[in-house]
Amino acid sequence: MHILGINAYHGNASAALVSDGRLVAAVEEERFNRVKYAAGFPAAAIRYCLDAGGITLADVDHISIPRNPWARLGTKLWYAMRMPRFARERAKVLARFAGIAEALSEAFEIDPKQIRAPLHRVEHHQAHLASAFFVSPFEQAAVLSADGLGDFASTMWAAGQGNRMHVAGSIAFPHSLGMYYTGVTQYLGFRKFGDEYKVMGLAAYGQPAYLDEFRRIVRTNGGIGFRLGLEYFTHHRTGPEMTWRDAGKTPELGPMCSGEMARRLGPARDSSAPVEQKHRDAAASLQARLEEVLFGMLRGLHARTGQKSLCLAGGVAFNCVANGKIFDQTPFEQIFVQPAAGDAGLAIGAAYFVYHQILGRPRQFVMEHSYWGPQYSREKVRAAVDSSRLRDAGMEIAELPEEELIAVAAREIAAGKILGWFQGRAEWGPRALGNRSIVADPRRADMKDTLNARIKHREMFRPFAPSVLAEATPEYFEKSFPSPFMTQAYAVRPEKREAIPAPTHVDGTGRLQTVTREANPRYWKLIREFGNLTGVPLVLNTSFNDNEPIVCRPEEAIDCFLRTKMDALALGDILVRKPSGATPEVRR
Ligand SMILES: [Fe+2]
């Protein structure tokens, strides 16, 4: 039985194919159309998923989308009367959803009658919950979804048991932890879609000096819920302005904060103005209040469900700083966050919701790795190298047996070189986890500056992350619960901070990826070899890109390699090196 999940006409458009309960493929549209967080209709992602499963659209048994126009209809209508412009925008989006079968038949040039699969509409947050629980290793768990807004809710929690979830509560618009974080992110001068994680990085440089004020911005009363101090916001009056129907454009958000934020906290920071201590302190206060509210909700959820295990989904689940503290701040003993915890993950959630919750099929799948995206054959990689400018640019190119490839690559990293590492299937979700990664020496204090100057060109306050051999986690970190998808930040042991300064954040934490031999044998061997050479079984890992979606095809990897100042590139078995002593060509 083939189920196609589609997150369309929403940020992070994506598709996933689940066949007989097992995930076959999952990918974001942005990897194909090269538009970050692309919305619109994910035709290329769907095409890839069908190809990976060796099927056509006519073979699909169920199609599922994470949007249910009937959910919270009363609330929607009430706000539609108060905000007619917003209502008109939503109506246009819903009209597109109504035409999803037509969009499919048009994209795949088949007669709509050939699409025999029924279309299921799964409420946004139920799809988020399903995306976490049904692929988790837990037979039973508490499940929480928290984000900006979906089907007019921001938060939902449930108890998961076997192949069923029972929703226990939810929080409706306009109260939203995601909008709280986004609103303050905008106030701090970071206005692009997806900038929240920058502010999370900035928070470590400040003190929560404004925490009392932030307790008025998000209010709690001891239960699982919370409410926003609406005087600080505008979205409940104007509707959240989100422009994300065009697949060729990164979504945009309208302003969310009212003048009250500036009156209480001082003027909003202009995007081009320098970041000052008051901004760092506001970011720290924002993060501290998010953590207080989230941990309060989780303690309430634990008390209500009595579960030891927790699954998290929604954009808030990307807050790795908060996630890393869950073990200390709540009674939960195990957590699971799948790598595409945000809206891309809705595609798998919608598909698994149908398989388990609607069809009642038993569970048989655990997401043990994130490699559900495209891969390219040896021949395709060779062809990409042959048709590139690599040889003309004087690169040394050699196809090597694995052992040699790993030995040379590890030596390069240990010598301070920056290595592009392109292997196997692309990662699902926003983190590069050893198949589309840039890898560097974590022992060099200047490596962060070097990477930023030569390749990544991002804000200096943003940390880089470590990939550590799973078995060495307790030696380097104060917690060792697996973090295979970089969804938790743990404190680096104080005695190890000097050993790995480059991926250790200013607050002494690292957003680690724990790497097992089973999940990614080749990456594990690379890190082990680096450990053999240096005594440090850990590398710095950042995504293979330069202010663009993570590279997907070998051509994009080669282009990024040539465009930036990377030193070496492993493309499958092919190792490309700039000739020793040569000044790398830079084309920007
Ligand atoms: Fe969402």
Side-chain angles (χ1 to χ4, degrees):
M1 177 194 292
H2 304 294
I3 307 177
L4 180 63
I6 304 172
N7 179 38
Y9 310 126
H10 198 83
N12 296 297
S14 63
L17 179 66
V18 174
S19 294
D20 295 328
R22 309 194 75 78
L23 186 61
V24 172
V27 68
E28 296 95 324
E29 186 73 1
E30 66 160 32
R31 305 299 160 89
F32 299 106
N33 74 0
R34 313 302 300 155
V35 176
K36 218 165 180 185
Y37 309 116
F41 187 75
I46 295 168
R47 185 167 292 117
Y48 161 70
C49 288
L50 297 176
D51 288 348
I55 62 170
T56 69
L57 201 51
D59 299 318
V60 172
D61 297 288
H62 297 271
I63 297 170
S64 186
I65 57 169
R67 175 70 72 105
N68 182 357
W70 304 110
R72 280 175 205 80
L73 193 58
T75 319
K76 284 174 183 166
L77 289 173
W78 194 76
Y79 276 100
M81 286 190 295
R82 295 179 68 198
M83 300 184 283
R85 193 173 64 85
F86 176 53
R88 277 197 300 277
E89 290 299 313
R90 306 297 281 190
K92 281 188 214 162
V93 175
L94 287 177
R96 290 196 175 220
F97 273 96
I100 214 151
E102 287 74 18
L104 276 167
S105 66
E106 198 177 302
F108 291 87
E109 295 177 347
I110 70 168
D111 187 330
K113 291 194 195 81
Q114 281 184 272
I115 305 175
R116 60 188 174 84
L119 182 68
H120 301 268
R121 297 170 191 279
V122 178
E123 189 187 347
H124 184 99
H125 281 279
Q126 298 218 37
H128 269 315
L129 296 171
S131 78
F133 177 61
F134 288 138
V135 303
S136 78
F138 309 137
E139 174 62 19
Q140 49 186 18
V143 197
L144 175 73
S145 167
D147 69 1
L149 177 68
D151 276 329
F152 250 60
S154 72
T155 315
M156 187 177 280
W157 53 96
Q161 171 85 47
N163 66 348
R164 280 282 185 278
M165 293 182 313
H166 302 279
V167 173
S170 64
I171 296 171
F173 179 87
H175 303 286
S176 160
L177 286 179
M179 286 185 172
Y180 154 70
Y181 216 95
T182 304
V184 179
T185 294
Q186 291 179 344
Y187 164 81
L188 288 171
F190 299 93
R191 302 191 167 274
K192 289 198 193 127
F193 189 83
D195 270 356
E196 291 84 354
Y197 61 97
K198 295 183 184 173
V199 174
M200 185 178 68
L202 182 65
Y205 289 85
Q207 294 299 322
Y210 309 112
L211 187 53
D212 284 345
E213 191 63 37
F214 277 75
R215 285 178 178 143
R216 283 189 278 273
I217 300 176
V218 187
R219 297 161 192 178
T220 47
N221 59 9
I224 296 184
F226 62 87
R227 293 180 72 79
L228 293 185
L230 290 174
E231 65 272 29
Y232 295 88
F233 298 92
T234 57
H235 63 272
H236 58 294
R237 282 188 263 121
T238 60
E241 287 176 46
M242 302 182 205
T243 314
W244 55 20
R245 279 165 294 135
D246 183 351
K249 247 177 80 185
T250 295
E252 288 174 17
L253 296 172
M256 287 185 189
C257 287
S258 73
E260 187 67 9
M261 197 76 81
R263 269 192 294 280
R264 305 284 303 189
L265 291 166
R269 177 181 159 262
D270 188 80
S271 303
S272 57
V275 174
E276 299 172 25
Q277 194 54 39
K278 63 182 179 187
H279 304 125
R280 297 181 193 106
D281 289 346
S285 309
L286 161 77
Q287 176 69 24
R289 184 57 181 151
L290 176 90
E291 291 174 13
E292 281 185 347
V293 176
L294 184 66
F295 298 148
M297 292 180 71
L298 292 178
R299 284 190 287 266
L301 190 55
H302 177 269
R304 187 175 291 190
T305 61
Q307 296 292 337
K308 290 181 184 162
S309 305
L310 171 70
C311 299
L312 291 175
V316 176
F318 278 135
N319 198 302
C320 56
V321 176
N323 292 351
K325 297 176 183 171
I326 285 173
F327 301 110
D328 290 336
Q329 296 292 332
T330 80
F332 287 109
E333 295 170 15
Q334 310 193 81
I335 72 168
F336 177 80
V337 187
Q338 63 95 7
D343 285 342
L346 292 166
I348 61 164
Y352 274 102
F353 188 93
V354 169
Y355 192 68
H356 297 302
Q357 197 86 3
I358 294 179
L359 301 175
R361 298 296 177 98
R363 285 176 60 193
Q364 53 193 314
F365 174 78
V366 175
M367 192 185 283
E368 285 167 337
H369 62 75
S370 65
Y371 314 110
W372 304 103
Q375 65 182 338
Y376 299 87
S377 66
R378 187 183 297 259
E379 290 67 37
K380 284 208 168 125
V381 172
R382 277 188 197 136
V385 170
D386 290 342
S387 63
S388 72
R389 294 185 296 109
L390 287 170
R391 283 200 173 83
D392 290 347
M395 300 295 160
E396 292 170 6
I397 300 170
E399 192 160 335
L400 303 172
E402 183 181 65
E403 208 172 307
E404 201 177 331
L405 175 88
I406 284 167
V408 179
R411 277 206 301 274
E412 293 278 309
I413 302 166
K417 302 288 174 67
I418 299 173
L419 172 75
W421 184 252
F422 180 104
Q423 304 289 340
R425 294 184 75 174
E427 293 89 346
W428 162 240
R431 303 273 103 85
L433 297 168
N435 279 3
R436 300 288 186 279
S437 288
I438 294 170
V439 182
D441 189 342
R443 302 168 302 158
R444 294 167 191 264
D446 58 354
M447 187 49 81
K448 190 174 156 183
D449 292 351
T450 306
L451 273 168
N452 267 326
R454 286 171 53 178
I455 295 161
K456 302 293 286 192
H457 311 105
R458 36 186 237 187
E459 294 84 356
M460 292 308 292
F461 55 79
R462 288 171 56 192
F464 286 104
S467 292
V468 61
L469 289 190
E471 45 274 56
T473 312
E475 192 187 332
Y476 282 83
F477 294 89
E478 293 191 345
K479 298 255 174 310
S480 53
F481 189 82
S483 174
F485 307 133
M486 267 189 194
T487 49
Q488 287 114 262
Y490 295 153
V492 178
R493 289 193 178 281
E495 68 274 19
K496 291 291 186 189
R497 288 178 193 173
E498 273 184 28
I500 52 164
T504 300
H505 200 22
V506 65
D507 59 358
T509 65
R511 187 194 66 201
L512 74 166
Q513 175 196 5
T514 51
V515 182
T516 64
R517 188 170 201 157
E518 295 71 33
N520 193 334
R522 187 169 272 199
Y523 192 43
W524 183 90
K525 286 180 199 166
L526 177 70
I527 303 169
R528 184 185 60 171
E529 183 62 20
F530 179 80
N532 290 343
L533 291 174
T534 64
V536 177
L538 180 154
V539 295
L540 183 155
N541 169 15
T542 184
S543 51
F544 199 145
N545 60 352
D546 169 22
N547 285 308
E548 60 185 324
I550 298 176
V551 299
C552 183
R553 300 180 302 137
E555 289 81 358
E556 287 146 11
I558 292 169
D559 191 49
C560 185
F561 172 74
L562 286 168
R563 202 172 65 230
T564 62
K565 293 183 179 174
M566 243 176 274
D567 299 294
L569 169 64
L571 278 168
D573 297 334
I574 297 176
L575 190 70
V576 179
R577 280 189 289 176
K578 284 172 180 155
S580 45
T583 307
E585 180 192 11
V586 186
R587 292 165 70 98
R588 292 194 60 79

